Amino acid sequence: MTTPHRPTDPATDPSADAPHPAAAPGGDVPLRTDGILDRLASLRAADAPTHGGRVLSYVYDPGLPELDELAAAAARAVQPVNGLDPTTFTSVAVMEGELVALAREMLSGPADGPDAVVGSVTSGGTESCLLAVKIARDAFREAHPGARPRVVAPVSVHAAFRKAARYLDVDLTLVPVDPGTGTPAAADLVAALGDDVALVVVSAPSYPHGVVDPVADVAAAAHARGVPVHVDACVGGWVLPFWAAAGGDTPPPFDFAVPGVTSISADVHKYGYAPKGTSVMLVRGRDRQRRQFFATTGWPGYPVVNPTISGSRSAAPLAAAWAVSQALGTAGYTALTARCVRATRALHAAVDGIEGLRVVGRPTGPLVAVATDESVAPERRVDPHLWADAVRSRGWVLQPQPGLVQEDGTRLPHTTHLTVTPVTEAGLDGLVPALVDGADAVRGAPRPDVGAALAAVAGSLAAAPGAAAGAPTSDEVWAALGPLLAAGDDADPGAGVLPDSLAPLMALLELLPGPVAERALVEIVARVAEPPPDGAPR
């Protein structure tokens, strides 16, 4: 922290920021800029497309190039700024305050009084979720010294809460959801409450199935017992508030208008259409929100105060998100949401018309999960993972999701996920035929038989020399996985490319014990980013 900075006039104050002078030829700093951006362009050409709606996960394209330009210009304007200290870089405080105010208004949060909703801009949904758990953990510890806190959530809650429980050393109770609808029963979540529960988490909507959890019923029961409730609206926070006005069905209540909801996470880099790196974490009550901060004067350097996990942080994502939100406002977000509503309805209708597939449950919002329709004869069924592979070969990237056996023994079916964005509507003429043709190509085909691969991988890992002394080494894990990933495919896993067909890998991950599957995934992703052994560029 420093004395607040007073804005200066570059025309009269020589200390004000000014463009860097051009480096003189033959200067004493050697630079080689030729070819670097050309190489980057070449690398980007190998990426999945981020615009045009061809990838129905990960990216949120509004179909407005001028927003991309605005966001890039805003990010460049604050490129040297350090978001660590808003008392020095006051633009950070202004932009963060205005972005939080917009989110608070969208999500029905009071602006003043003891229940005033305040918040912070974080690096993404995972950080927001971690902070929600930290706040709850610290509040519980203050009220219950020596007791171990527990978090209750549906099994469909985002994996970020599993990470939060592991990082912050709290217990996590996962309540089963209905395999047919993907929705948890409020009574089951309430039944899991106890004196050791620090937080209940519900989703609006859940990522795997796109359904809104029973927020109001859970919040009412939790509030009566003094248990805080976090709503993970990382996906829905910037789209559900506009859904009904955009022509969609009215979402179930999920925001701060619901008594008992104490915090909400909402990602601006999803349906806020900002570049990656911005989420908003909103908290009811200043005293509660202050528990997310870290502060120390216990070292000989400057006093440290961090509202989020990061210390130094780029102001570029914040500036980009702020600029995009300023440009769109309520009217712009409603118009973009209307495109999502129409495209989502069209995709529901398309899947309903494909024999052998079904939409899971009754999603609210722009996420769709598709499973096998087991009400038809086996020879007419379509495996969603084989379908995803077939659609991918036709130029559209869908996201396979493995099935899961829940604690009560019921099995959530394996599905394929589609994230619908505004630009999806313009691509329906190509996407819908690809969905239909892909299903026709694999209808009646059985799920890949991975029995031999399962035995080979499990056996190799169990028999690995390192296993005798504990877990196998990374090289042993890779030796077991390498042949599987390369089997039947020209791709070299060591080059960071998975096989073209993901259905066999998804099937294998379902059958492996959880820790083994997770260790295998760690090794795959770690190898993707490792430099080649010879140091040569890829």
Side-chain angles (χ1 to χ4, degrees), residues 23 25 116 126-127 147 157 213 219 256 309 362 407 443 486 519 532 535-536:
T126 294
E127 185 174 22
V157 77
D213 293 340
F256 286 110
I309 295 172
R362 295 179 57 85
E407 289 293 327
R443 184 171 289 105
R519 181 64 186 88

Side-chain angles (χ1 to χ4, degrees), residues 231-310:
V231 177
D232 177 18
C234 285
V235 172
W238 290 79
V239 67
L240 292 186
F242 311 106
W243 198 254
D249 296 335
T250 300
F254 73 93
D255 61 14
F256 286 110
V258 177
V261 169
T262 52
S263 56
I264 299 177
S265 50
D267 288 0
V268 198
H269 63 211
K270 289 187 171 73
Y271 288 97
Y273 307 111
K276 291 298 181 186
T278 46
S279 175
V280 172
M281 171 61 181
L282 299 177
V283 183
R284 192 193 297 269
R286 291 184 176 87
D287 290 342
R288 182 173 183 82
Q289 190 253 359
R290 299 319 191 236
R291 291 187 175 94
Q292 83 179 44
F293 280 68
F294 170 81
T296 184
T297 57
W299 77 309
Y302 61 92
V304 172
V305 185
N306 303 142
T308 61
I309 295 172
S310 300

